């Protein structure tokens, strides 16, 4: 795919809005590990090569293991992820694939395990990476 445009050069106010959104997510109490798992899993589902490249590198810098990164798309079939991570990954998948809706069981389990306030912050983090994925895919952004 060829790069189509630099959206941020064309609409700098949109870029500033996205940076503020990301700044908020970065400042939340959602752990770095949880944020990177959300970013990688949503980017896998959306097929965003640019974001996968960026966030797998970021995750490794944060101490994430290769094994967990490699098996993230099959997280249900491993014992590598904690209960908290499992509910975050399930919620990430359902929010990312929103046309299937978020099930009551996934939502209720997430709240039971993480608490409502943390779940709210996780949802915002999921929304942010899905927005970034859509920007990168639509404008043809490529990994370096």
């Amino acid at each position: 795919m060829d790069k189509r445009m630099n959206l941020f050069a064309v609409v700098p106010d949109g870029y500033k809005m996205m940076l503020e959104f990301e700044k908020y997510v970065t400042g939340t109490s959602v752990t770095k590990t949880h944020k990177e798992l959300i970013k990688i899993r949503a980017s896998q589902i959306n097929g965003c090569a640019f974001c996968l490249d960026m966030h797998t590198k970021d995750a490794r810098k944060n101490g994430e293991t290769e094994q967990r990164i490699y098996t993230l798309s099959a997280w249900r079939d491993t014992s590598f992820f904690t209960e908290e991570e499992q509910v975050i990954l399930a919620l990430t998948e359902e929010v990312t694939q929103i046309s299937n809706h978020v099930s009551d069981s996934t939502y209720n389990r997430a709240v039971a395990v993480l608490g409502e306030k943390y779940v709210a912050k996780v949802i915002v983090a999921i929304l942010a990476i899905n927005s970034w994925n859509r920007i990168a895919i639509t404008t043809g952004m490529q990994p370096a």
Side-chain angles (χ1 to χ4, degrees), residues 26-96:
T26 300
T28 68
S29 60
V30 177
T31 69
K32 287 182 181 182
T33 297
H34 291 168
K35 287 175 195 164
E36 293 305 331
L37 290 174
I38 290 166
K39 290 174 181 179
I40 295 167
R41 187 66 190 116
S43 298
Q44 287 174 331
I45 293 165
N46 289 323
C48 185
F50 181 85
C51 292
L52 280 168
D53 181 66
M54 176 190 303
H55 296 299
T56 54
K57 289 175 183 174
D58 290 347
R60 283 192 299 272
K61 287 178 193 171
N62 188 50
E64 189 56 79
T65 66
E66 297 290 321
Q67 184 180 44
R68 284 172 33 112
I69 292 171
Y70 297 154
T71 60
L72 187 55
S73 63
W75 63 269
R76 285 180 178 85
D77 299 323
T78 74
S79 60
F80 306 149
F81 300 93
T82 67
E83 181 181 19
E84 291 82 8
E85 292 166 343
Q86 291 173 18
V87 298
I88 287 169
L89 291 168
L91 189 59
T92 299
E93 289 177 355
E94 291 186 24
V95 171
T96 300

Side-chain angles (χ1 to χ4, degrees), residues 103-113:
S103 70
D104 288 341
S105 63
T106 297
Y107 177 83
N108 292 335
R109 183 168 178 237
V111 171
V113 171

